[in-house]
């Protein structure tokens, strides 16, 4: 009998009991707003900022309303002004060019390589042709570019780097946490990311002036001294008067359910990588598919997996996904002419002007994507691997066909 998988790919783990308990306490207190504290109490949001800064090895942390808001606040705090060009990877999720547009700047997309990271040669070219001073580097799907080369290139051209770490919370390059290379690291706690508060964002930085601006921008009502991981209040002397309030705070309820998740994050990363390796080994067997090469200097978090069938046609790709869907395996394709769901491509960002990205398009045409929620056991992943193998083997578009 044919194997059929029957668990949903969009099912996250439950919030841990300690998080549920903390949420009930916040709800019972009625003090949901981060600045609504009594006596000498420290708000859950402030506690989360301290715990996350600690975990991330950054001096400062700001919790805010979403990952997209983290990006917008960071660009503004780093000096991006309306009309500025902001370079970013052509392979990223819609909130990234969206955040650039939201601050009135202009996204300039840079080609990617077959390893799904930003193409440093095209980056150098586009720094030269645009004169851009900002790079919003998106570590899309957790793939890390050679950060030594990237930072060297950025320093040479005076480029200010903001890292989009929505998929690299917990990842490292050469022993240093992703997010600690540029002026700021931006994280998302939206349901499908490494921690889940429904919506939410975190910014880390070790630059006090940047962080003072970010705190004001997030909407601190001049209560900037109530931040668990903010810079000394002297940094706010002028900044507090010169920076508008954009109201994008995180509330105590979300922070309270994130705190116990942060404590368990390192364990979760191991669980993800175990599942990733299991499926990657299957997909890598005898050149069945092409997996992005992962530099040994990187420590990755395998919360999703991407594989390429570089010669697949549109008809074959659609039929392949349909057959997988019938067997309960949800695989997305970045090559679809109309991007669907979370699988966006630059073709759906027409507002930004349209881009000529032949190399990226050629890669996306054969790129498939699968979530690995921790609600799946390692046995589940074994079964998914077996189903993928059975459906890939007959394809004409597979590399070894
Ligand atoms: C999720 C995500 C973001 C930001 O997400 P929000 O949904 O705004 O929290 C940014 N970049 C990437 C690559 C993402 O996947």
């Amino acid at each position: 009998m044919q194997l059929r998988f029957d668990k949903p790919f969009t099912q996250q783990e439950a919030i841990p009991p300690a998080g549920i308990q903390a949420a009930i306490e916040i709800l019972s207190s009625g003090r949901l707003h981060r600045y609504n504290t009594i006596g000498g109490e420290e708000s859950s949001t402030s506690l989360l900022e301290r715990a996350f800064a600690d975990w991330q090895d950054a001096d400062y942390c700001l919790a805010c309303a979403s990952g997209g808001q983290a990006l917008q606040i960071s660009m503004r705090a780093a000096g991006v002004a309306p009309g500025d060009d902001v370079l970013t990877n052509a392979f990223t999720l819609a909130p990234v060019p969206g955040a650039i547009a939201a601050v009135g700047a202009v996204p300039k997309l840079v080609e990617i390589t077959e390893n799904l990271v930003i193409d440093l040669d095209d980056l150098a070219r586009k720094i030269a042709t645009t004169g851009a001073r900002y790079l919003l580097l998106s570590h899309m799907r957790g793939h890390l570019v050679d950060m030594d080369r990237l930072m060297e290139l950025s320093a040479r051209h005076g480029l200010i780097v903001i890292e989009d770490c929505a998929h690299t919370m917990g990842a490292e390059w050469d022993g240093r946490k992703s997010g600690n290379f540029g002026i700021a690291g931006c994280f998302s706690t939206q349901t499908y990311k490494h921690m889940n508060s429904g919506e939410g964002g975190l910014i880390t930085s070790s630059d006090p002036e940047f962080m003072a601006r970010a705190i004001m921008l997030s909407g601190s009502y001049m209560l900037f001294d109530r931040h668990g991981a903010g810079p000394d209040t002297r940094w706010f002397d002028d900044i507090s008067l010169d920076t508008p309030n954009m109201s994008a705070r995180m509330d105590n309820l979300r922070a309270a359910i994130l705190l116990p998740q942060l404590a368990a994050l390192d364990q979760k990363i191991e669980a993800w990588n175990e599942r990733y390796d299991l499926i990657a080994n299957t997909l890598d067997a005898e050149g069945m598919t092409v997996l992005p090469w992962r530099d040994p200097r990187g420590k990755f978090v395998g919360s999703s997996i991407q594989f390429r069938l570089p010669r697949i046609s549109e008809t074959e790709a659609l039929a392949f996904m349909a057959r997988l869907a019938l067997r309960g395996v949800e695989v997305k394709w970045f090559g679809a002419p109309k991007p669907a769901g979370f699988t966006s491509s630059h073709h759906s960002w027409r507002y930004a002007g349209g881009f000529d990205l032949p190399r990226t398009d050629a890669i996306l045409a054969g790129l498939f994507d699968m979530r690995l929620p921790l609600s799946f056991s390692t046995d589940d992943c074994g079964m998914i691997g077996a189903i993928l193998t059975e459906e890939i083997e007959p394809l004409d578009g597979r590399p070894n066909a």
Side-chain angles (χ1 to χ4, degrees):
M1 214 187 69
Q2 244 197 1
L3 288 172
R4 195 179 182 289
F5 188 65
D6 62 5
K7 290 189 184 170
F9 277 70
T10 47
Q11 178 61 55
Q12 304 304 79
E13 290 177 297
I15 300 302
I20 295 174
Q21 190 52 44
I24 291 170
E25 281 163 26
I26 298 275
L27 290 170
S28 312
S29 80
R31 295 192 295 282
L32 273 74
H33 195 280
R34 68 165 297 159
Y35 299 127
N36 185 193
T37 51
I38 49 172
E41 186 179 49
E42 183 174 8
S43 73
S44 299
T45 308
S46 177
L47 281 169
L48 174 69
E49 288 169 338
R50 260 193 307 130
F52 194 76
D54 245 25
W55 181 82
Q56 172 68 15
D57 290 323
D59 289 349
Y60 313 116
C61 174
L62 170 69
C64 59
S66 70
Q69 282 292 341
L71 297 173
Q72 291 179 43
I73 290 168
S74 293
M75 281 186 279
R76 284 207 168 97
V80 173
D84 282 353
D85 285 337
V86 176
L87 298 158
T88 192
N89 317 38
F91 176 49
T92 184
L93 205 74
V96 176
I100 297 172
V103 303
V106 184
K108 296 283 170 181
L109 302 191
V110 181
E111 297 262 33
I112 58 161
T113 75
E114 291 174 347
N115 296 319
L116 311 183
V117 298
I118 196 163
D119 179 339
L120 295 177
D121 296 327
D122 195 47
L123 177 61
R125 261 193 301 277
K126 283 181 177 150
I127 293 171
T129 53
T130 64
R133 291 177 46 236
Y134 297 94
L135 168 64
L136 182 47
L137 174 67
S138 185
H139 304 295
M140 178 66 169
R141 292 295 189 261
H143 304 288
L144 291 167
V145 69
D146 182 333
M147 290 303 292
D148 299 331
R149 280 191 61 205
L150 180 107
M151 293 315 291
E152 194 270 323
L153 183 73
S154 305
R156 193 155 16 99
H157 295 279
L159 205 60
I160 295 172
V161 179
I162 294 166
E163 297 180 67
D164 166 24
C165 301
H167 304 160
T168 54
M169 184 186 278
E172 293 175 11
W173 176 265
D174 214 6
R176 187 166 168 198
K177 282 243 165 84
S178 174
N180 291 350
F181 289 81
I183 190 170
C186 300
F187 302 82
S188 168
T189 60
Q190 181 253 58
T191 284
Y192 297 114
K193 311 299 164 91
H194 296 177
M195 295 199 289
N196 172 12
S197 59
E199 303 278 5
L202 294 159
I203 303 170
T204 56
S205 178
S206 292
D207 181 320
E209 193 180 328
F210 165 91
M211 191 47 88
R213 263 196 215 104
I215 288 172
M216 292 310 302
L217 284 163
S218 79
S220 81
Y221 302 128
M222 299 294 168
L223 299 170
F224 45 79
D225 59 336
R226 300 218 209 146
H227 281 249
D232 190 277
T233 50
R234 79 189 155 85
W235 287 100
F236 293 86
D237 286 350
D238 287 324
I239 286 173
S240 63
L241 306 175
D242 294 337
T243 312
N245 173 327
M246 304 285 182
S247 280
R249 296 163 298 269
M250 183 182 280
D251 57 83
N252 287 331
L253 189 57
R254 292 194 240 176
I257 64 174
L258 288 171
L259 271 160
Q261 294 182 55
L262 179 59
L265 189 52
D266 288 320
Q267 248 176 299
K268 282 178 62 162
I269 289 171
E270 272 178 45
W272 264 312
N273 287 342
E274 191 183 0
R275 285 156 182 74
Y276 182 96
D277 289 343
L278 238 157
I279 294 182
N281 286 339
T282 311
L283 292 175
D284 213 15
E286 293 153 39
M288 193 163 55
T289 69
V290 185
L291 292 181
W293 176 74
R294 299 186 130 184
D295 194 302
R297 285 171 289 180
K299 182 194 135 192
F300 299 90
V301 184
S303 50
S304 68
I305 190 162
Q306 292 72 47
F307 60 91
R308 288 195 303 122
L309 296 162
R311 296 189 293 107
I312 201 160
S313 67
E314 183 180 336
T315 320
E316 199 177 35
L318 293 172
F320 168 58
M321 286 191 296
R323 279 196 306 278
L324 285 173
L326 282 175
R327 302 181 68 179
V329 174
E330 192 182 311
V331 162
K332 300 274 177 66
W333 178 43
F334 281 101
K338 276 234 162 118
F342 287 87
T343 315
S344 61
S345 96
H346 69 88
H347 296 289
S348 50
W349 311 329
R350 205 164 59 188
Y351 63 83
F355 304 93
D356 182 29
L357 296 156
R359 184 155 186 215
T360 299
D361 285 343
I363 292 163
L364 296 184
L367 182 64
F368 295 88
D369 184 39
M370 195 172 74
R371 281 204 176 108
L372 293 174
L374 290 181
S375 53
F376 293 178
S377 67
T378 50
D379 282 349
D380 290 339
C381 293
M383 188 196 222
I384 292 167
I387 294 173
L388 283 169
T389 305
E390 286 175 15
E391 295 299 340
I392 292 169
E393 269 173 348
L395 294 180
D396 293 330
R398 73 182 194 279
N400 60 358

